[in-house]
Short mmCIF file of all heavy atoms in Angstrom, two decimals:
data_model
loop_
_atom_site.label_atom_id
_atom_site.label_comp_id
_atom_site.label_asym_id
_atom_site.label_seq_id
_atom_site.Cartn_x
_atom_site.Cartn_y
_atom_site.Cartn_z
N MET A 1 -75.24 -143.64 76.61
CA MET A 1 -74.06 -143.09 77.25
C MET A 1 -73.97 -143.63 78.68
O MET A 1 -74.95 -143.69 79.40
CB MET A 1 -74.15 -141.58 77.27
CG MET A 1 -72.98 -140.95 77.91
SD MET A 1 -73.06 -139.13 78.12
CE MET A 1 -73.12 -138.59 76.43
N LYS A 2 -72.77 -144.01 79.08
CA LYS A 2 -72.53 -144.53 80.41
C LYS A 2 -72.02 -143.41 81.34
O LYS A 2 -71.45 -142.44 80.90
CB LYS A 2 -71.50 -145.66 80.37
CG LYS A 2 -72.02 -146.84 79.61
CD LYS A 2 -71.07 -147.99 79.65
CE LYS A 2 -71.64 -149.13 78.82
NZ LYS A 2 -70.90 -150.35 78.95
N THR A 3 -72.24 -143.62 82.63
CA THR A 3 -71.77 -142.69 83.65
C THR A 3 -70.47 -143.22 84.25
O THR A 3 -70.40 -144.41 84.61
CB THR A 3 -72.83 -142.52 84.75
OG1 THR A 3 -74.01 -142.04 84.15
CG2 THR A 3 -72.35 -141.57 85.83
N LEU A 4 -69.47 -142.39 84.35
CA LEU A 4 -68.20 -142.76 84.96
C LEU A 4 -68.22 -142.38 86.43
O LEU A 4 -68.56 -141.26 86.81
CB LEU A 4 -67.03 -142.03 84.27
CG LEU A 4 -65.65 -142.21 84.90
CD1 LEU A 4 -65.22 -143.67 84.79
CD2 LEU A 4 -64.65 -141.29 84.23
N ILE A 5 -67.85 -143.33 87.27
CA ILE A 5 -67.72 -143.11 88.71
C ILE A 5 -66.28 -143.38 89.08
O ILE A 5 -65.74 -144.45 88.75
CB ILE A 5 -68.66 -144.03 89.50
CG1 ILE A 5 -70.12 -143.72 89.15
CG2 ILE A 5 -68.42 -143.90 91.01
CD1 ILE A 5 -71.13 -144.66 89.72
N ILE A 6 -65.65 -142.44 89.77
CA ILE A 6 -64.27 -142.58 90.18
C ILE A 6 -64.26 -142.68 91.71
O ILE A 6 -64.63 -141.74 92.40
CB ILE A 6 -63.38 -141.41 89.72
CG1 ILE A 6 -63.45 -141.30 88.20
CG2 ILE A 6 -61.92 -141.62 90.19
CD1 ILE A 6 -62.77 -140.08 87.66
N ALA A 7 -63.79 -143.80 92.23
CA ALA A 7 -63.69 -144.03 93.67
C ALA A 7 -62.24 -143.72 94.12
O ALA A 7 -61.36 -143.66 93.31
CB ALA A 7 -64.07 -145.47 94.01
N GLU A 8 -62.12 -143.56 95.41
CA GLU A 8 -60.80 -143.25 95.95
C GLU A 8 -59.86 -144.45 95.93
O GLU A 8 -58.68 -144.32 95.65
CB GLU A 8 -60.95 -142.74 97.39
CG GLU A 8 -59.66 -142.22 97.98
CD GLU A 8 -59.89 -141.58 99.34
OE1 GLU A 8 -59.99 -142.31 100.31
OE2 GLU A 8 -59.99 -140.35 99.36
N LYS A 9 -60.41 -145.64 96.19
CA LYS A 9 -59.57 -146.84 96.26
C LYS A 9 -60.30 -148.01 95.62
O LYS A 9 -61.51 -148.00 95.48
CB LYS A 9 -59.27 -147.17 97.73
CG LYS A 9 -58.45 -146.09 98.41
CD LYS A 9 -58.13 -146.44 99.85
CE LYS A 9 -57.32 -145.31 100.44
NZ LYS A 9 -56.96 -145.55 101.82
N PRO A 10 -59.56 -149.05 95.23
CA PRO A 10 -60.20 -150.21 94.57
C PRO A 10 -61.32 -150.85 95.36
O PRO A 10 -62.38 -151.18 94.80
CB PRO A 10 -59.03 -151.18 94.37
CG PRO A 10 -57.82 -150.32 94.32
CD PRO A 10 -58.11 -149.16 95.25
N ASP A 11 -61.14 -151.03 96.67
CA ASP A 11 -62.19 -151.64 97.47
C ASP A 11 -63.48 -150.85 97.41
O ASP A 11 -64.58 -151.43 97.34
CB ASP A 11 -61.76 -151.79 98.93
CG ASP A 11 -60.77 -152.94 99.14
OD1 ASP A 11 -60.60 -153.74 98.19
OD2 ASP A 11 -60.19 -153.02 100.23
N MET A 12 -63.38 -149.53 97.48
CA MET A 12 -64.57 -148.70 97.43
C MET A 12 -65.22 -148.79 96.03
O MET A 12 -66.44 -148.86 95.92
CB MET A 12 -64.24 -147.24 97.74
CG MET A 12 -65.44 -146.30 97.72
SD MET A 12 -66.79 -146.83 98.81
CE MET A 12 -66.05 -146.53 100.41
N GLY A 13 -64.41 -148.83 94.99
CA GLY A 13 -64.95 -149.02 93.62
C GLY A 13 -65.72 -150.33 93.50
O GLY A 13 -66.80 -150.34 92.93
N ARG A 14 -65.18 -151.39 94.04
CA ARG A 14 -65.87 -152.67 94.00
C ARG A 14 -67.17 -152.65 94.84
O ARG A 14 -68.18 -153.22 94.42
CB ARG A 14 -64.93 -153.79 94.45
CG ARG A 14 -63.88 -154.13 93.42
CD ARG A 14 -63.09 -155.37 93.78
NE ARG A 14 -62.07 -155.07 94.78
CZ ARG A 14 -60.85 -154.63 94.51
NH1 ARG A 14 -60.49 -154.40 93.25
NH2 ARG A 14 -59.99 -154.40 95.48
N ASN A 15 -67.16 -151.97 95.98
CA ASN A 15 -68.34 -151.83 96.78
C ASN A 15 -69.44 -151.07 96.06
O ASN A 15 -70.63 -151.42 96.10
CB ASN A 15 -68.04 -151.16 98.12
CG ASN A 15 -67.25 -152.04 99.05
OD1 ASN A 15 -67.23 -153.27 98.92
ND2 ASN A 15 -66.56 -151.42 100.01
N ILE A 16 -69.05 -149.98 95.41
CA ILE A 16 -70.01 -149.20 94.64
C ILE A 16 -70.59 -150.05 93.52
O ILE A 16 -71.82 -150.06 93.31
CB ILE A 16 -69.35 -147.91 94.09
CG1 ILE A 16 -69.00 -146.95 95.24
CG2 ILE A 16 -70.27 -147.24 93.06
CD1 ILE A 16 -68.11 -145.80 94.84
N ALA A 17 -69.74 -150.73 92.80
CA ALA A 17 -70.21 -151.59 91.69
C ALA A 17 -71.18 -152.66 92.19
O ALA A 17 -72.20 -152.92 91.56
CB ALA A 17 -69.03 -152.24 90.99
N ALA A 18 -70.87 -153.26 93.32
CA ALA A 18 -71.74 -154.28 93.87
C ALA A 18 -73.12 -153.75 94.17
O ALA A 18 -74.13 -154.45 94.02
CB ALA A 18 -71.14 -154.88 95.12
N ALA A 19 -73.18 -152.49 94.57
CA ALA A 19 -74.46 -151.88 94.93
C ALA A 19 -75.25 -151.41 93.72
O ALA A 19 -76.46 -151.58 93.67
CB ALA A 19 -74.22 -150.72 95.87
N ILE A 20 -74.59 -150.83 92.73
CA ILE A 20 -75.35 -150.22 91.63
C ILE A 20 -75.24 -150.97 90.29
O ILE A 20 -76.06 -150.75 89.40
CB ILE A 20 -74.95 -148.74 91.40
CG1 ILE A 20 -73.51 -148.62 90.95
CG2 ILE A 20 -75.21 -147.93 92.66
CD1 ILE A 20 -73.13 -147.24 90.53
N GLU A 21 -74.26 -151.83 90.16
CA GLU A 21 -74.04 -152.53 88.90
C GLU A 21 -73.47 -153.90 89.20
O GLU A 21 -72.34 -154.24 88.84
CB GLU A 21 -73.08 -151.71 88.03
CG GLU A 21 -73.01 -152.09 86.58
CD GLU A 21 -74.15 -151.57 85.72
OE1 GLU A 21 -74.19 -150.39 85.41
OE2 GLU A 21 -75.03 -152.40 85.38
N PRO A 22 -74.26 -154.76 89.89
CA PRO A 22 -73.75 -156.04 90.39
C PRO A 22 -73.25 -157.01 89.31
O PRO A 22 -72.43 -157.87 89.60
CB PRO A 22 -74.91 -156.65 91.16
CG PRO A 22 -76.11 -155.85 90.79
CD PRO A 22 -75.63 -154.55 90.26
N LYS A 23 -73.68 -156.84 88.07
CA LYS A 23 -73.21 -157.74 87.00
C LYS A 23 -72.11 -157.12 86.17
O LYS A 23 -71.82 -157.60 85.08
CB LYS A 23 -74.41 -158.12 86.12
CG LYS A 23 -75.44 -158.96 86.84
CD LYS A 23 -76.58 -159.37 85.96
CE LYS A 23 -77.56 -160.21 86.74
NZ LYS A 23 -78.69 -160.64 85.92
N ALA A 24 -71.47 -156.06 86.69
CA ALA A 24 -70.39 -155.40 85.97
C ALA A 24 -69.25 -156.36 85.72
O ALA A 24 -68.89 -157.19 86.59
CB ALA A 24 -69.91 -154.20 86.76
N LYS A 25 -68.66 -156.22 84.56
CA LYS A 25 -67.51 -157.08 84.18
C LYS A 25 -66.24 -156.42 84.70
O LYS A 25 -66.03 -155.23 84.59
CB LYS A 25 -67.46 -157.24 82.66
CG LYS A 25 -66.45 -158.24 82.22
CD LYS A 25 -66.58 -158.55 80.75
CE LYS A 25 -65.51 -159.59 80.39
NZ LYS A 25 -65.52 -159.88 78.96
N ASN A 26 -65.36 -157.25 85.27
CA ASN A 26 -64.11 -156.77 85.86
C ASN A 26 -63.00 -156.74 84.82
O ASN A 26 -62.65 -157.76 84.25
CB ASN A 26 -63.73 -157.67 87.02
CG ASN A 26 -62.56 -157.15 87.83
OD1 ASN A 26 -61.80 -156.29 87.34
ND2 ASN A 26 -62.41 -157.61 89.02
N TYR A 27 -62.48 -155.52 84.53
CA TYR A 27 -61.39 -155.35 83.60
C TYR A 27 -60.09 -155.01 84.30
O TYR A 27 -59.26 -154.32 83.77
CB TYR A 27 -61.73 -154.29 82.57
CG TYR A 27 -62.79 -154.72 81.58
CD1 TYR A 27 -64.13 -154.36 81.78
CD2 TYR A 27 -62.48 -155.50 80.48
CE1 TYR A 27 -65.12 -154.75 80.89
CE2 TYR A 27 -63.47 -155.88 79.57
CZ TYR A 27 -64.76 -155.51 79.80
OH TYR A 27 -65.74 -155.90 78.91
N ARG A 28 -59.97 -155.44 85.50
CA ARG A 28 -58.80 -155.27 86.39
C ARG A 28 -58.62 -153.85 86.96
O ARG A 28 -58.55 -153.68 88.15
CB ARG A 28 -57.51 -155.71 85.69
CG ARG A 28 -56.40 -155.93 86.65
CD ARG A 28 -55.26 -156.70 86.06
NE ARG A 28 -54.19 -156.78 87.04
CZ ARG A 28 -52.94 -156.85 86.74
NH1 ARG A 28 -52.58 -156.92 85.49
NH2 ARG A 28 -52.04 -156.92 87.69
N SER A 29 -58.58 -152.84 86.11
CA SER A 29 -58.42 -151.48 86.62
C SER A 29 -59.75 -150.72 86.61
O SER A 29 -59.80 -149.55 86.98
CB SER A 29 -57.37 -150.70 85.85
OG SER A 29 -57.76 -150.60 84.48
N TYR A 30 -60.81 -151.36 86.15
CA TYR A 30 -62.15 -150.76 86.20
C TYR A 30 -63.19 -151.85 86.04
O TYR A 30 -62.89 -152.97 85.66
CB TYR A 30 -62.32 -149.67 85.11
CG TYR A 30 -62.36 -150.23 83.69
CD1 TYR A 30 -63.57 -150.44 83.05
CD2 TYR A 30 -61.19 -150.51 82.99
CE1 TYR A 30 -63.62 -150.92 81.75
CE2 TYR A 30 -61.21 -150.96 81.70
CZ TYR A 30 -62.45 -151.17 81.07
OH TYR A 30 -62.49 -151.65 79.78
N LEU A 31 -64.42 -151.51 86.39
CA LEU A 31 -65.55 -152.41 86.23
C LEU A 31 -66.55 -151.73 85.29
O LEU A 31 -66.76 -150.53 85.38
CB LEU A 31 -66.21 -152.67 87.58
CG LEU A 31 -65.29 -153.39 88.58
CD1 LEU A 31 -65.49 -152.83 89.94
CD2 LEU A 31 -65.51 -154.87 88.53
N GLU A 32 -67.13 -152.51 84.41
CA GLU A 32 -68.07 -151.92 83.44
C GLU A 32 -69.35 -152.74 83.39
O GLU A 32 -69.32 -153.95 83.21
CB GLU A 32 -67.44 -151.84 82.05
CG GLU A 32 -68.31 -151.14 81.06
CD GLU A 32 -67.59 -150.86 79.72
OE1 GLU A 32 -66.37 -151.12 79.63
OE2 GLU A 32 -68.28 -150.37 78.82
N GLY A 33 -70.45 -152.03 83.55
CA GLY A 33 -71.76 -152.64 83.43
C GLY A 33 -72.54 -151.96 82.33
O GLY A 33 -71.98 -151.22 81.52
N GLU A 34 -73.85 -152.16 82.33
CA GLU A 34 -74.68 -151.58 81.29
C GLU A 34 -74.82 -150.08 81.40
O GLU A 34 -74.90 -149.37 80.42
CB GLU A 34 -76.06 -152.21 81.35
CG GLU A 34 -76.06 -153.67 80.89
CD GLU A 34 -77.47 -154.24 80.78
OE1 GLU A 34 -78.42 -153.46 80.56
OE2 GLU A 34 -77.61 -155.46 80.94
N GLN A 35 -74.83 -149.55 82.63
CA GLN A 35 -75.04 -148.10 82.83
C GLN A 35 -73.80 -147.37 83.36
O GLN A 35 -73.72 -146.13 83.23
CB GLN A 35 -76.19 -147.86 83.79
CG GLN A 35 -77.51 -148.34 83.25
CD GLN A 35 -78.64 -148.04 84.23
OE1 GLN A 35 -78.44 -147.53 85.33
NE2 GLN A 35 -79.84 -148.38 83.82
N TYR A 36 -72.89 -148.09 84.01
CA TYR A 36 -71.79 -147.42 84.70
C TYR A 36 -70.43 -148.01 84.36
O TYR A 36 -70.31 -149.23 84.12
CB TYR A 36 -71.96 -147.50 86.22
CG TYR A 36 -73.22 -146.87 86.74
CD1 TYR A 36 -74.37 -147.61 86.94
CD2 TYR A 36 -73.26 -145.50 86.98
CE1 TYR A 36 -75.53 -147.02 87.41
CE2 TYR A 36 -74.41 -144.89 87.46
CZ TYR A 36 -75.55 -145.64 87.66
OH TYR A 36 -76.70 -145.06 88.12
N ILE A 37 -69.43 -147.17 84.40
CA ILE A 37 -68.03 -147.58 84.42
C ILE A 37 -67.49 -147.08 85.75
O ILE A 37 -67.61 -145.89 86.08
CB ILE A 37 -67.21 -146.97 83.26
CG1 ILE A 37 -67.76 -147.47 81.93
CG2 ILE A 37 -65.73 -147.29 83.41
CD1 ILE A 37 -67.17 -146.82 80.71
N ILE A 38 -66.97 -147.99 86.53
CA ILE A 38 -66.46 -147.65 87.87
C ILE A 38 -64.98 -147.90 87.90
O ILE A 38 -64.51 -149.01 87.62
CB ILE A 38 -67.17 -148.45 88.98
CG1 ILE A 38 -68.70 -148.21 88.94
CG2 ILE A 38 -66.65 -148.08 90.33
CD1 ILE A 38 -69.49 -149.36 88.50
N THR A 39 -64.22 -146.90 88.22
CA THR A 39 -62.76 -147.03 88.32
C THR A 39 -62.30 -146.37 89.60
O THR A 39 -63.11 -145.85 90.37
CB THR A 39 -62.07 -146.46 87.07
OG1 THR A 39 -60.69 -146.85 87.12
CG2 THR A 39 -62.17 -144.97 86.98
N TRP A 40 -61.01 -146.35 89.85
CA TRP A 40 -60.51 -145.83 91.12
C TRP A 40 -59.10 -145.29 90.97
O TRP A 40 -58.35 -145.62 90.05
CB TRP A 40 -60.52 -146.94 92.15
CG TRP A 40 -59.99 -148.22 91.62
CD1 TRP A 40 -58.68 -148.60 91.51
CD2 TRP A 40 -60.76 -149.29 91.10
NE1 TRP A 40 -58.60 -149.83 90.92
CE2 TRP A 40 -59.85 -150.32 90.67
CE3 TRP A 40 -62.12 -149.54 90.96
CZ2 TRP A 40 -60.27 -151.52 90.12
CZ3 TRP A 40 -62.53 -150.74 90.40
CH2 TRP A 40 -61.61 -151.69 89.99
N ALA A 41 -58.73 -144.50 91.93
CA ALA A 41 -57.36 -144.03 92.10
C ALA A 41 -56.73 -144.90 93.17
O ALA A 41 -57.38 -145.82 93.68
CB ALA A 41 -57.36 -142.56 92.54
N ILE A 42 -55.52 -144.63 93.49
CA ILE A 42 -54.84 -145.31 94.59
C ILE A 42 -54.52 -144.24 95.63
O ILE A 42 -53.50 -143.59 95.59
CB ILE A 42 -53.56 -146.01 94.12
CG1 ILE A 42 -53.84 -146.98 92.99
CG2 ILE A 42 -52.89 -146.74 95.29
CD1 ILE A 42 -54.76 -148.15 93.34
N GLY A 43 -55.47 -144.00 96.52
CA GLY A 43 -55.26 -143.02 97.54
C GLY A 43 -56.18 -141.79 97.37
O GLY A 43 -57.10 -141.83 96.57
N HIS A 44 -55.88 -140.75 98.06
CA HIS A 44 -56.74 -139.58 98.10
C HIS A 44 -56.80 -138.88 96.77
O HIS A 44 -55.78 -138.68 96.11
CB HIS A 44 -56.27 -138.61 99.18
CG HIS A 44 -56.26 -139.22 100.54
ND1 HIS A 44 -57.40 -139.52 101.23
CD2 HIS A 44 -55.22 -139.62 101.35
CE1 HIS A 44 -57.10 -140.08 102.39
NE2 HIS A 44 -55.79 -140.14 102.49
N LEU A 45 -58.00 -138.47 96.37
CA LEU A 45 -58.17 -137.75 95.12
C LEU A 45 -58.01 -136.25 95.26
O LEU A 45 -57.55 -135.58 94.36
CB LEU A 45 -59.60 -138.02 94.57
CG LEU A 45 -59.87 -139.49 94.23
CD1 LEU A 45 -61.34 -139.63 93.81
CD2 LEU A 45 -58.98 -139.94 93.10
N ILE A 46 -58.39 -135.74 96.43
CA ILE A 46 -58.27 -134.30 96.69
C ILE A 46 -57.79 -134.10 98.12
O ILE A 46 -57.84 -135.01 98.93
CB ILE A 46 -59.61 -133.54 96.48
CG1 ILE A 46 -60.68 -134.08 97.43
CG2 ILE A 46 -60.05 -133.65 95.04
CD1 ILE A 46 -61.94 -133.26 97.43
N GLY A 47 -57.38 -132.93 98.40
CA GLY A 47 -56.98 -132.57 99.76
C GLY A 47 -57.48 -131.17 100.08
O GLY A 47 -57.86 -130.41 99.17
N LEU A 48 -57.51 -130.83 101.32
CA LEU A 48 -57.92 -129.51 101.73
C LEU A 48 -56.75 -128.54 101.63
O LEU A 48 -55.58 -128.93 101.81
CB LEU A 48 -58.41 -129.53 103.18
CG LEU A 48 -59.65 -130.37 103.44
CD1 LEU A 48 -59.93 -130.46 104.93
CD2 LEU A 48 -60.84 -129.79 102.70
N ALA A 49 -57.05 -127.33 101.34
CA ALA A 49 -56.02 -126.29 101.32
C ALA A 49 -55.64 -125.95 102.75
O ALA A 49 -56.33 -126.28 103.70
CB ALA A 49 -56.56 -125.04 100.61
N GLU A 50 -54.52 -125.26 102.88
CA GLU A 50 -54.11 -124.79 104.19
C GLU A 50 -55.14 -123.79 104.69
O GLU A 50 -55.76 -123.09 103.90
CB GLU A 50 -52.72 -124.17 104.13
CG GLU A 50 -51.62 -125.14 103.77
CD GLU A 50 -51.48 -126.25 104.80
OE1 GLU A 50 -51.50 -125.96 106.01
OE2 GLU A 50 -51.30 -127.42 104.40
N PRO A 51 -55.32 -123.68 106.02
CA PRO A 51 -56.39 -122.80 106.57
C PRO A 51 -56.34 -121.37 106.05
O PRO A 51 -57.38 -120.78 105.73
CB PRO A 51 -56.14 -122.86 108.07
CG PRO A 51 -55.47 -124.18 108.28
CD PRO A 51 -54.62 -124.40 107.07
N GLU A 52 -55.17 -120.82 105.90
CA GLU A 52 -55.09 -119.41 105.48
C GLU A 52 -55.50 -119.22 104.01
O GLU A 52 -55.80 -118.12 103.59
CB GLU A 52 -53.70 -118.82 105.72
CG GLU A 52 -52.54 -119.54 105.02
CD GLU A 52 -51.95 -120.66 105.84
OE1 GLU A 52 -52.54 -121.11 106.86
OE2 GLU A 52 -50.87 -121.07 105.46
N ALA A 53 -55.56 -120.28 103.25
CA ALA A 53 -56.02 -120.19 101.87
C ALA A 53 -57.52 -119.88 101.82
O ALA A 53 -58.03 -119.31 100.87
CB ALA A 53 -55.71 -121.45 101.10
N TYR A 54 -58.23 -120.29 102.85
CA TYR A 54 -59.67 -120.01 102.94
C TYR A 54 -59.89 -118.59 103.45
O TYR A 54 -60.72 -117.87 102.94
CB TYR A 54 -60.36 -121.03 103.87
CG TYR A 54 -60.28 -122.44 103.35
CD1 TYR A 54 -59.34 -123.33 103.86
CD2 TYR A 54 -61.10 -122.87 102.34
CE1 TYR A 54 -59.26 -124.64 103.37
CE2 TYR A 54 -61.03 -124.17 101.84
CZ TYR A 54 -60.12 -125.05 102.36
OH TYR A 54 -60.03 -126.32 101.88
N ASP A 55 -59.17 -118.26 104.49
CA ASP A 55 -59.28 -116.92 105.08
C ASP A 55 -58.11 -116.75 106.03
O ASP A 55 -57.78 -117.65 106.78
CB ASP A 55 -60.61 -116.78 105.83
CG ASP A 55 -60.92 -115.35 106.19
OD1 ASP A 55 -60.05 -114.69 106.80
OD2 ASP A 55 -62.04 -114.88 105.92
N ASN A 56 -57.49 -115.58 105.99
CA ASN A 56 -56.33 -115.32 106.82
C ASN A 56 -56.63 -115.48 108.32
O ASN A 56 -55.74 -115.75 109.11
CB ASN A 56 -55.78 -113.93 106.55
CG ASN A 56 -54.34 -113.99 106.07
OD1 ASN A 56 -53.77 -115.08 105.97
ND2 ASN A 56 -53.79 -112.83 105.81
N LYS A 57 -57.90 -115.29 108.71
CA LYS A 57 -58.23 -115.40 110.13
C LYS A 57 -58.06 -116.85 110.65
O LYS A 57 -58.01 -117.07 111.83
CB LYS A 57 -59.66 -114.95 110.39
CG LYS A 57 -60.77 -115.82 109.82
CD LYS A 57 -62.12 -115.24 110.08
CE LYS A 57 -63.22 -116.11 109.49
NZ LYS A 57 -64.52 -115.53 109.66
N TYR A 58 -57.92 -117.81 109.73
CA TYR A 58 -57.73 -119.19 110.15
C TYR A 58 -56.23 -119.57 110.24
O TYR A 58 -55.90 -120.68 110.59
CB TYR A 58 -58.44 -120.17 109.21
CG TYR A 58 -59.93 -119.95 109.18
CD1 TYR A 58 -60.56 -119.63 108.00
CD2 TYR A 58 -60.68 -120.05 110.35
CE1 TYR A 58 -61.94 -119.44 107.97
CE2 TYR A 58 -62.05 -119.84 110.34
CZ TYR A 58 -62.67 -119.54 109.12
OH TYR A 58 -64.01 -119.33 109.10
N LYS A 59 -55.38 -118.66 109.85
CA LYS A 59 -53.93 -118.94 109.89
C LYS A 59 -53.53 -119.19 111.36
O LYS A 59 -53.98 -118.51 112.25
CB LYS A 59 -53.15 -117.76 109.33
CG LYS A 59 -51.69 -118.01 109.17
CD LYS A 59 -51.01 -116.86 108.46
CE LYS A 59 -49.57 -117.20 108.25
NZ LYS A 59 -48.91 -116.15 107.45
N LYS A 60 -52.68 -120.18 111.54
CA LYS A 60 -52.23 -120.54 112.89
C LYS A 60 -51.46 -119.37 113.51
O LYS A 60 -50.54 -118.84 112.89
CB LYS A 60 -51.35 -121.79 112.85
CG LYS A 60 -50.95 -122.28 114.20
CD LYS A 60 -50.19 -123.56 114.10
CE LYS A 60 -49.81 -124.04 115.48
NZ LYS A 60 -49.08 -125.30 115.45
N MET A 61 -51.86 -119.03 114.70
CA MET A 61 -51.19 -117.94 115.40
C MET A 61 -50.18 -118.56 116.38
O MET A 61 -50.47 -119.54 117.06
CB MET A 61 -52.20 -117.09 116.16
CG MET A 61 -53.17 -116.41 115.24
SD MET A 61 -54.48 -115.53 116.13
CE MET A 61 -53.60 -114.48 117.24
N GLU A 62 -49.01 -117.99 116.41
CA GLU A 62 -47.98 -118.48 117.34
C GLU A 62 -48.09 -117.69 118.64
O GLU A 62 -48.31 -116.47 118.64
CB GLU A 62 -46.59 -118.31 116.71
CG GLU A 62 -46.44 -119.20 115.49
CD GLU A 62 -45.00 -119.19 114.99
OE1 GLU A 62 -44.09 -119.03 115.80
OE2 GLU A 62 -44.83 -119.33 113.78
N HIS A 63 -47.98 -118.39 119.73
CA HIS A 63 -48.09 -117.74 121.05
C HIS A 63 -46.75 -117.52 121.63
O HIS A 63 -45.84 -118.24 121.58
CB HIS A 63 -48.91 -118.62 121.99
CG HIS A 63 -50.33 -118.80 121.52
ND1 HIS A 63 -51.25 -117.79 121.60
CD2 HIS A 63 -50.96 -119.84 120.91
CE1 HIS A 63 -52.40 -118.24 121.12
NE2 HIS A 63 -52.23 -119.46 120.67
#
């Protein structure tokens, strides 16, 4: 069984592959080696919630 790694951007995916799976074959939208499949999104994968979603005490107060 292979491990899937999802990077935020293509450059980061290629950097990860170079470090852990240097002989990975390039299939354009992903790289595949003996142990890993490395692919990527185009941009941010997750974002932070608004401060008040964590706790109301973090909600911006207007002065």
Side-chain angles (χ1 to χ4, degrees):
M1 180 184 297
K2 295 185 182 188
T3 300
L4 174 65
I5 297 173
I6 303 172
E8 188 174 81
K9 297 181 180 180
D11 284 347
M12 182 56 68
R14 287 188 281 275
N15 289 339
I16 292 168
I20 65 171
E21 195 78 75
K23 294 183 180 180
K25 189 170 179 184
N26 189 340
Y27 289 98
R28 197 165 176 210
S29 62
Y30 69 98
L31 297 141
E32 185 171 355
E34 290 187 27
Q35 295 182 358
Y36 299 95
I37 296 172
I38 300 112
T39 191
W40 45 81
I42 304 296
H44 301 290
L45 297 176
I46 60 171
L48 296 173
E50 294 298 317
E52 60 269 15
Y54 297 101
D55 192 309
N56 239 0
K57 69 182 179 184
Y58 299 121
K59 187 173 183 175
K60 185 176 181 180
M61 296 174 54
E62 294 188 32
H63 297 285

